[in-house]
Amino acid sequence: MEAYEIRGGRPLSGAVTIHGAKNSALPILAACACISGTCRIDNCPDIADVDTAIAILSHLGCRAWREGRAVLVDAAGLCRCDVPQVLMGGMRSSVLFLGALLTRCGSAELAAPGGCSLGCRPIDLHLWAAEALGASWWCEGERLLCRAGTMAGCRLELRCPSVGATENALLMALGCPGTTVIANAAREPEIADLVRFLRAMGARVTGEDTAELTVEGCAPLHGGDYLVMPDRMETATYLCAVAGCGGELLLRGARPETLEAVTDALSRAGCRLEREAGGLRAAAPPRLQPPGCVITRPYPGFPTDAQAPLMAAVIRAGGTTGFVETIFENRLRHAEQLCRLGADITQYGARAVVRGVRQLRSTELCATDLRCGAALVIGALQAEEVSRVTGIGHIRRGYEDLAAGLRGIGADIALTAEA
């Protein structure tokens, strides 16, 4: 096993290039299973979750391979509709193959999806959408089986703007005769990226960037090329790193318009953020001011994926910052680990109060999920002497060589054998 060894206490400076978005690439790769042709997905991040998606596509009978910054998928040979536990357990987004396989094969057999342990994340809304469109489902042991039956378009009123349920409903609706309207749909930029991909491949889908998506089903789909949007959560992570450590960064390829809730919070904390052609420049003072209470919300609210990195950024701020997590019940597990560095964090269920301290101490830390891992790295970068972060397999699920990116802007971080 491996770990990050981090010597903190240095400001960050320089430039980083933002990779393609994990949360956009994964649903797009799942959608490729709907298409009997070759899709070239450019700017596809080289991360563990993408490797898992490629493995699932290969298991289904597709040809899927990487060429440099692109992943190519030829789904003409797709010949099976089951995804085994060993592959489903690798990532949460594996559940999106439910919609893709229903559309392409008329049936799907899945195990429980994996990914980060963030508390109860049921797929009941996904299954409700499948039923509303005419499919049936049942469980056999640990397996979920779903059959298309006689599916037809309809109006789907989601009880909450779930990203995954919106994506699955989109993929299911592609194979449904008639018109499907997805109301109260998630508005995240990655949803819009999926819509644009589907439209580029021949789908008749409209309404991206709104809470109502319309799908004219059964349009003939074809292969083609598509460029994945930059990763706004990687952008948020680097912004929080420089905010916590101090310094100045140019984030090439960043799209600040997709991350305004985060940039607003950092501006309140004393960072200077300026849009530039092709990116975003961020400058941070040696010590932040508290940005006020941060409450996670569906887009365009403050994203749950940025909550942990921002908490790590403000543990040395000159005052008190509140956090309220409304999306996932176990999304504050990083708080206890940050306290090992000397942070002063009091947790009340899904709420946390961070009182800034002057100095942090080095220690051993263990990442329990993807964004927790990013937060621990940011915290360790602010601590004196050398800290170790284990559990970095979680980090590799969503960040393309985070250590190399941080070294390029002045961080002292190395990959070592885990003790």
Side-chain angles (χ1 to χ4, degrees):
M1 302 293 288
E2 295 177 314
Y4 287 148
E5 191 171 273
I6 301 169
R7 185 180 296 275
R10 299 184 177 192
L12 304 178
S13 64
V16 293
T17 298
I18 301 303
H19 297 102
K22 163 189 176 286
N23 291 336
S24 185
L26 296 177
I28 286 172
L29 288 172
C32 288
C34 300
I35 300 166
S36 184
T38 300
C39 299
R40 181 185 179 91
I41 313 304
D42 287 301
N43 197 31
C44 201
D46 189 2
I47 57 176
D49 273 12
V50 166
D51 292 341
T52 300
I54 291 172
I56 291 174
L57 288 164
S58 298
H59 169 83
L60 295 172
C62 308
R63 293 178 61 237
W65 69 100
R66 181 175 284 280
E67 287 185 359
R69 300 302 309 168
V71 170
L72 284 81
V73 180
D74 177 1
L78 188 144
C79 59
R80 57 193 305 167
C81 63
D82 66 297
V83 184
Q85 175 62 47
V86 68
L87 294 175
M88 285 291 296
M91 65 175 185
R92 177 66 183 177
S93 294
S94 57
V95 74
L96 297 178
F97 283 91
L98 171 63
L101 290 171
L102 276 179
T103 287
R104 179 70 184 276
C105 305
S107 63
E109 299 182 15
L110 309 177
C116 294
S117 298
L118 302 177
C120 183
R121 296 202 285 180
I123 62 169
D124 58 320
L125 199 54
H126 304 236
L127 298 174
W128 171 84
E131 278 189 316
L133 291 167
S136 59
W137 64 271
W138 65 97
C139 293
E140 293 183 359
E142 297 298 317
R143 304 284 295 170
L144 168 69
L145 289 82
C146 198
R147 299 291 182 267
T150 303
M151 298 182 73
C154 67
R155 183 176 179 85
L156 299 173
E157 292 270 359
L158 300 182
R159 68 171 183 269
C160 64
S162 161
V163 172
T166 299
E167 291 167 339
N168 243 334
L170 272 172
L171 298 184
M172 294 173 197
L174 295 176
C176 293
T179 301
T180 298
V181 175
I182 305 170
N184 197 27
R187 297 167 54 194
E188 272 73 2
E190 294 81 9
I191 299 282
D193 215 26
L194 175 61
V195 169
R196 287 189 286 267
F197 165 76
L198 293 172
R199 198 158 53 225
M201 304 303 136
R204 293 192 290 266
V205 187
T206 58
E208 68 269 31
D209 299 315
T210 77
E212 187 164 290
L213 302 172
T214 302
V215 184
E216 299 295 335
C218 298
L221 304 179
H222 54 75
D225 296 352
Y226 192 76
L227 182 69
V228 173
M229 66 176 283
D231 196 319
R232 63 196 180 101
M233 291 307 124
E234 184 182 52
T235 302
T237 299
Y238 280 110
L239 285 173
C240 290
V242 71
C245 296
E248 182 172 344
L249 291 185
L250 172 62
L251 293 89
R252 300 192 187 100
R255 294 184 183 173
E257 68 275 11
T258 67
L259 208 61
E260 290 183 349
V262 175
T263 56
D264 286 350
L266 291 172
S267 294
R268 294 195 302 270
C271 295
R272 188 178 72 254
L273 301 161
E274 298 175 354
R275 300 188 186 198
E276 295 190 1
L280 173 67
R281 186 173 295 278
R287 194 178 191 205
L288 298 177
Q289 295 302 309
C293 187
V294 176
I295 305 174
T296 63
R297 304 282 192 197
Y299 189 85
F302 193 93
T304 181
D305 281 355
Q307 176 257 112
L310 182 63
M311 186 180 293
V314 300
I315 54 179
R316 294 190 307 120
T320 299
T321 304
F323 289 86
V324 181
E325 174 58 49
T326 70
I327 308 298
F328 295 129
E329 61 185 351
N330 286 344
R331 198 103 210 216
L332 295 176
R333 296 170 70 184
H334 49 277
E336 181 180 354
Q337 290 288 307
L338 291 172
C339 287
R340 291 172 57 84
L341 289 165
D344 183 353
I345 305 174
T346 304
Q347 187 177 341
Y348 309 89
R351 299 169 180 264
V353 175
V354 182
R355 299 171 185 84
V357 299
R358 283 284 182 181
Q359 195 168 23
L360 300 172
R361 57 179 180 268
S362 61
T363 191
E364 298 275 334
L365 303 164
C366 181
T368 57
D369 63 70
L370 170 58
R371 306 305 173 184
C372 168
L376 301 188
V377 169
I378 293 170
L381 287 171
Q382 301 173 65
E384 301 297 326
E385 301 303 328
V386 177
S387 297
R388 285 170 57 84
V389 178
T390 62
I392 65 173
H394 291 291
I395 297 173
R396 286 174 169 161
R397 285 189 44 243
Y399 293 96
E400 184 172 332
D401 204 347
L402 181 62
L406 290 168
R407 277 196 300 272
I409 54 177
D412 188 344
I413 177 171
L415 187 63
T416 66
E418 189 173 307

